[in-house]
Amino acid sequence: MGAPLSIETLELDEPREREALVRIVAAGVCHSDLHVMKGDLPIPLPAVLGHEGSAVVERVGPGVTTVKPGDHCILVFAPNCGHCAYCTAGRPMLCTGHGRRAPGTMLDGTYRLSVGGAPVSHMAGISCFAEHAVIAEEQLLVIDSSIPLDKAALVGCSVTTGIGAVVNTARVEPGATVAVIGCGGVGLSVVQGARLAGAARIVAIDLFDEKLEKATSMGATDVVNANDGDVVKRVRQLTAGGADYAFDAIGMAATVKQSLDVVRAGGKAVVIGVGRFGEGTPIDAFSLVMQEKSLLGCFYGSSRPRIDMPRILALYRHGRLQLDEMVTRRYPLERINEAYADLQGSQAGRGVITF
């Protein structure tokens, strides 16, 4: 834990019931994997990371009905069973069916990866930082082959998370004011989601001017560099007393508090970024009650992947969503540690591992 990623040769089992063998085409460089690398997000080690990706189906196991060899797919890292109370209520991201499996395993609680006979954990049942993967049928969403797979990979996590937070979790209405804390891949997707929702003012907040410039190109109307002073005061000035909605795409204790502080009375703060497991954050409970503010958590954009992801791709195909501009860096697998060093720096946009 804490060591650089290494490239290893592992054994990969054949697909079992309702599983498919896929060839990975692209994998997004996401902070969630970095959290695992740092130990902030626990998963049994050793493990193959990677959860935001796209692939082409090569073989299918018994009982597979929704994918076939040659299909282009987005990898859905949080599958849903479709029949638990949350799934039937339209909140599949809270699924208690597939969500109860042991961390690092496939949906049936077993493994397909091993080394020397010992099991190797799967990141979110996907592990797409690899040339091939065996993935459950439920985690493969077939898309039109005309969509570039390096762009489609982002829809597997960051884009769906950011847009979903705006549309599904907060339900931003036209004319609203929005503040976005953190302008990485998820934050840029929040900016785009707010633009698509018709927000009148979108304030992008980050430590790096390069990221703020990218946010402006995607719809931000104002920018605040957090190095330049009191962020809360500046946002309140720009939004006439506070934003209607704030989105924390970082998830640190300080930014969670900041997101609640920048919204007006009656406003909503939505936390998207995944913080360190078990870490708390200071909240002013008095103002939370007296000003009727709301603090909401958002996992995977509160999405319904088989409904929301095709809609997102339709927006892209009609020129209303900037996916091409999101991908600013491409790396071969051999340079994955460089990709994660860049992720923590000033470079704007999303990095993608291509195979």
Side-chain angles (χ1 to χ4, degrees):
M1 189 176 296
L5 295 173
S6 62
I7 298 176
E8 309 288 345
T9 300
L10 306 179
E11 290 79 44
L12 179 63
D13 291 347
E14 287 294 314
R16 300 184 189 177
E17 185 82 16
R18 298 196 65 194
E19 295 175 351
L21 173 71
V22 302
R23 172 176 58 84
I24 305 298
V25 175
V29 180
C30 181
H31 264 99
S32 294
D33 302 285
L34 184 62
H35 286 313
V36 175
M37 294 159 62
K38 290 182 173 181
D40 297 338
L41 188 63
I43 181 176
L45 302 177
V48 176
L49 304 187
H51 67 284
E52 176 182 277
S54 58
V56 176
V57 177
E58 291 198 343
R59 291 197 298 278
V60 299
V64 172
T65 60
T66 60
V67 301
K68 63 183 183 305
D71 280 346
H72 290 205
C73 297
I74 291 173
L75 310 181
V76 180
F77 78 81
N80 54 280
C81 69
H83 53 74
C84 71
Y86 285 111
C87 285
T88 54
R91 303 190 69 183
M93 287 306 102
L94 299 179
C95 174
T96 57
H98 293 329
R100 287 178 175 169
R101 71 186 190 278
T105 66
M106 300 288 287
L107 296 189
D108 64 358
T110 62
Y111 303 86
R112 304 294 173 271
L113 290 166
S114 62
V115 58
V120 174
S121 290
H122 303 258
M123 174 72 168
I126 287 180
S127 295
C128 59
F129 288 162
E131 294 175 332
H132 289 83
V134 168
I135 297 179
E137 179 181 19
E138 292 96 321
Q139 295 185 261
L140 297 170
L141 176 69
V142 178
I143 63 174
D144 192 283
S145 61
S146 66
I147 297 171
L149 285 171
D150 61 333
K151 314 306 189 309
L154 274 58
V155 179
C157 179
S158 59
V159 174
T160 296
T161 297
I163 292 178
V166 173
V167 176
N168 298 327
T169 310
R171 300 188 179 184
V172 172
E173 69 276 2
T177 55
V178 171
V180 183
I181 302 171
C183 296
V186 172
L188 290 175
S189 300
V190 173
V191 169
Q192 293 208 67
R195 170 175 55 79
L196 290 165
R201 200 152 202 172
I202 304 168
V203 183
I205 304 157
D206 204 281
L207 294 167
F208 299 107
D209 287 336
E210 184 178 342
K211 293 184 177 181
L212 294 173
E213 290 172 8
K214 176 63 79 171
T216 300
S217 73
M218 293 191 169
T221 59
D222 304 272
V223 298
V224 173
N225 189 310
N227 291 308
D228 294 342
D230 189 331
V231 169
V232 175
K233 181 179 179 181
R234 183 64 179 138
V235 173
R236 286 178 176 170
Q237 289 173 340
L238 289 169
T239 58
D244 298 311
Y245 302 91
F247 297 87
D248 174 16
I250 298 174
M252 296 173 58
T255 55
V256 172
K257 181 180 185 303
Q258 200 171 58
S259 68
L260 197 58
D261 289 344
V262 301
V263 296
R264 61 168 176 77
K268 293 182 180 180
V270 180
V271 180
I272 313 166
V274 179
R276 181 178 297 129
F277 184 77
E279 182 180 42
T281 184
I283 296 296
D284 183 349
F286 182 84
S287 65
L288 185 71
V289 173
M290 299 304 292
Q291 296 184 18
E292 291 194 354
K293 294 183 179 182
S294 300
L295 179 62
L296 305 173
C298 171
F299 173 54
Y300 211 177
S302 306
S303 66
R304 302 152 299 168
R306 297 191 179 277
I307 295 174
D308 294 344
M309 289 183 180
R311 289 177 176 176
I312 288 170
L313 291 175
L315 289 168
Y316 168 63
R317 295 184 71 172
H318 287 89
R320 299 181 62 193
L321 180 67
Q322 300 178 52
L323 288 186
D324 295 340
E325 295 82 355
M326 288 274 291
V327 179
T328 56
R329 304 180 301 281
R330 292 176 175 80
Y331 309 86
L333 185 61
E334 292 75 16
R335 292 171 55 201
I336 192 167
N337 288 306
E338 177 187 341
Y340 271 95
D342 290 344
L343 177 69
Q344 299 171 77
S346 64
Q347 296 191 46
R350 195 68 154 180
V352 174
I353 306 296
T354 55
F355 296 84

